[in-house]
Amino acid sequence: MKINAAIAAIGLVVGLSACETATPYQPLRSGAQASGGFTDQRLDQNHFRVTFQGNTVTPRETVESYLLYRAAELTVSQGFDWFETADRHTERDRQTYIDPLYGPGPYGYGFWWRAWGGYGWGAWGPYWGDATVETVQKFQASAEIVMQHGPKPVTDPKALDAREVLANLAPKIQRPTR
């Protein structure tokens, strides 16, 4: 019976995680269909801070690509030709959850809801199993960018041509569905 309950709990976790989709390329705002998105802040005439925050199903590579795409998009919209990152970071927020159906109870025991609807007590702990453990992670990338006019310097490996970045990353950009 414990196996049936564990299978049901795993099915519930998988089913609920399937409801969420990866963060599309969108501004960060509350009430959006999918959580996450980009923000930018002007620091001075040609310096901006750009961030992109993904949700729990958005891979790190996507978050970093969307950050670069936003930096390029912002560069072009401000009338500049190329940019370089003065400071760039990617942070990972990692959380581990124990399924509440199998969580620890008082005195080191766990309470569970059996698949057929009854209640019961059973031993819970790292050695006995009985708990469904899930680890989720979210990524947020941020960069301070410096925008410049004219041709990109060929000797600067951090310099990126904004229009080239837009052209190269555009096929990977997923916009929100309405």
Side-chain angles (χ1 to χ4, degrees):
M1 295 301 168
K2 284 185 181 182
I3 293 173
N4 290 340
I7 291 171
I10 290 170
L12 178 64
V13 169
V14 170
L16 290 175
S17 66
C19 294
E20 188 171 24
T21 60
T23 303
Y25 183 76
Q26 65 184 7
L28 181 64
R29 63 182 184 277
S30 61
Q33 187 174 357
S35 63
F38 64 80
T39 63
D40 45 70
Q41 177 184 17
R42 179 180 285 251
L43 302 175
D44 67 20
Q45 183 182 357
N46 65 333
H47 287 77
F48 277 79
R49 179 177 298 121
V50 182
T51 64
F52 193 89
Q53 178 181 330
N55 59 21
T56 59
V57 293
T58 307
R60 178 182 184 141
E61 179 183 349
T62 300
V63 169
E64 291 174 344
S65 292
Y66 285 8
L67 172 78
L68 288 174
Y69 191 84
R70 179 60 186 159
E73 189 176 62
L74 194 57
T75 300
V76 171
S77 74
Q78 296 296 312
F80 292 93
D81 301 306
W82 61 274
F83 68 95
E84 70 179 326
T85 56
D87 189 26
R88 184 171 155 186
H89 301 282
T90 301
E91 297 173 9
R92 177 178 70 173
D93 178 22
R94 186 173 167 174
Q95 305 265 336
T96 300
Y97 299 96
I98 298 174
D99 188 320
L101 299 175
Y102 294 92
Y107 313 111
Y109 289 93
F111 182 80
W112 71 84
W113 178 266
R114 291 194 174 130
W116 64 87
Y119 294 92
W121 286 93
W124 177 89
Y127 304 107
W128 301 291
D130 286 343
T132 301
V133 179
E134 180 184 13
T135 300
V136 294
Q137 56 189 5
K138 294 191 291 188
F139 295 98
Q140 177 175 313
S142 62
E144 289 185 15
I145 62 169
V146 182
M147 303 172 183
Q148 301 292 336
H149 294 287
K152 157 188 101 138
V154 273
T155 58
D156 185 355
K158 291 183 178 182
L160 296 167
D161 182 294
R163 286 171 185 78
E164 282 186 41
V165 170
L166 291 173
N168 290 332
L169 294 181
K172 295 180 181 182
I173 301 300
Q174 298 294 316
R175 303 213 181 251
T177 56
R178 302 277 180 231

